[in-house]
Amino acid sequence: SVTGATIPFFHHNDATRMLMAINMQRQAVACLKNEEPLVASGIEASLLENSPLTVKAEEKGIVKYVDSQQIIIQEKNRKKKIYPLEQLVVSNKNTLGFSLPLVKKGESVSKGQMLACGNQASNGELSLGYAIILSERLVKEDILTSFFVKKHTIIRHNTKYGPEIFTSSLPHVGKKQHPQLGRNGIVKIGSRVKGNDILIGKITPEPSPHKENEEELLLMSILGEKTRRFVNSSLRLPAEEAGIVYQVRRKKISKNKKDKDLELVEVFVSQKRKIE
């Protein structure tokens, strides 16, 4: 297999140890700082060819501009070619990936040269880990720090007592307690959140404890939502989690004609995990 080809030495009759090593590589997590293998098999560089985070030069030229978002190359015909770099790409294992430039401004590049690669590589070679001896320095210098992302979802329903509302004005909760919420009750992108912080402020109408008389029904029809009773049904970050909100998605969903006003909100929180 491709994974087995990255192991430089193994005995032809030691299948059990071989399978263990392959399984460990499959579970590998790209760290904040990676190191290319000290002893390689020679296939590490070619494995990056199929990575969606790898960017290659289409023509030879000179690097005119480099940052985390794009690389601009002035080609030999004096045309400028812009290569966008992918950032904050979520894998199917909930790890966070981003493309890192390998070239500097003023550098000459040839056709097919690797301009950028993902954070699972170092110096243009696949790098799944770090040659280490466990020490306190690993934690202080973020040598084995990795990034994960988690999605939190909530749906705004239509109840028989009225529609649910996204808002930052929550019952029994002061606005100053949750400055990360916007006016619409949705957390702001870039906010640092910790356990039990509100990500989406939502209130749900509930029935009155007693049957309304004619005067109360008249007031409700005139004043509307102000006279309703609401319960706090906000989406909170689980107690053991913390991170930074980097993306919020809102989608209209409809299961049938009655539920055409349903709305799904997804909040993506990135987490920085240190080695323990």
Side-chain angles (χ1 to χ4, degrees):
S1 69
V2 174
T3 316
T6 61
I7 302 174
F9 306 108
F10 57 86
H11 289 290
H12 68 281
N13 60 351
D14 199 352
T16 303
R17 188 170 296 180
M18 180 73 173
L19 290 172
M20 285 174 60
I22 292 172
N23 195 43
M24 288 177 183
Q25 289 187 69
R26 191 173 59 83
Q27 299 177 64
V29 173
C31 296
L32 180 63
K33 298 178 182 179
N34 290 322
E35 183 182 55
E36 65 270 24
L38 302 176
V39 180
S41 66
I43 200 175
E44 285 79 10
S46 58
L47 284 179
L48 298 177
E49 300 281 338
N50 297 320
S51 172
L53 298 175
T54 298
V55 178
K56 285 188 166 187
E58 296 178 4
E59 294 290 341
K60 65 182 296 186
I62 298 174
V63 180
K64 286 296 181 182
Y65 180 81
V66 178
D67 65 10
S68 62
Q69 302 294 322
Q70 62 181 1
I71 298 174
I72 301 177
I73 305 289
Q74 185 170 13
E75 299 177 348
K76 58 182 180 180
N77 54 9
R78 301 209 172 184
K79 288 185 178 180
K80 287 187 177 180
K81 174 74 174 178
I82 300 176
Y83 296 88
L85 304 184
E86 294 282 347
Q87 299 295 331
L88 302 175
V89 179
V90 183
S91 75
N92 56 3
K93 295 289 185 180
N94 288 335
T95 59
L96 204 56
F98 38 88
S99 193
L100 301 172
L102 298 175
V103 294
K104 297 179 181 179
K105 184 179 178 180
E107 183 178 337
S108 297
V109 296
S110 55
K111 184 178 180 179
Q113 181 178 336
M114 197 177 294
L115 303 177
C117 63
N119 56 323
Q120 77 279 6
S122 175
N123 293 330
E125 288 203 3
L126 181 71
S127 305
L128 295 179
Y130 209 93
I132 58 152
I133 297 174
L134 288 175
S135 67
E136 191 177 353
R137 186 173 69 90
L138 296 180
V139 181
K140 287 184 177 179
E141 298 184 10
D142 285 326
I143 290 175
L144 286 182
T145 296
S146 57
F147 288 99
F148 281 77
V149 66
K150 196 161 186 182
K151 180 174 71 174
H152 303 274
T153 60
I154 190 172
I155 297 177
R156 180 172 58 80
H157 296 276
N158 286 326
T159 70
K160 64 179 180 179
Y161 303 109
E164 294 179 322
I165 302 170
F166 289 148
T167 179
S168 58
S169 301
L170 302 169
H172 312 297
V173 178
K175 287 187 178 181
K176 292 183 179 179
Q177 296 179 18
H178 298 283
Q180 75 276 11
L181 296 182
R183 289 184 179 179
N184 58 359
I186 298 176
V187 67
K188 302 170 189 172
I189 294 176
S191 301
R192 289 185 177 273
V193 290
K194 58 184 185 302
N196 292 321
D197 279 355
I198 294 177
L199 299 178
I200 307 288
K202 186 179 79 167
I203 54 176
T204 303
E206 63 174 357
S208 176
H210 63 277
K211 191 172 182 180
E212 294 88 355
N213 55 36
E214 291 182 1
E215 289 81 2
E216 289 175 327
L217 290 171
L218 180 61
L219 278 172
M220 287 181 67
S221 64
I222 296 172
L223 300 176
E225 295 176 353
K226 292 183 180 179
T227 59
R228 286 187 189 171
R229 292 169 56 87
F230 288 94
V231 62
N232 188 346
S233 56
S234 301
L235 173 66
R236 292 179 179 266
L237 191 71
E240 70 281 1
E241 294 184 18
I244 298 175
V245 178
Y246 84 91
Q247 193 175 28
V248 177
R249 293 179 186 168
R250 301 182 69 171
K251 303 176 184 176
K252 293 284 186 180
I253 56 175
S254 58
K255 296 179 181 177
N256 49 54
K257 291 183 179 179
K258 292 182 180 179
D259 297 331
K260 62 181 180 180
D261 293 329
L262 290 182
E263 185 177 10
L264 170 70
V265 181
E266 300 173 331
V267 179
F268 294 83
V269 180
S270 64
Q271 301 172 355
K272 183 179 176 182
R273 297 184 183 176
K274 288 176 174 282
I275 191 72
E276 294 183 359

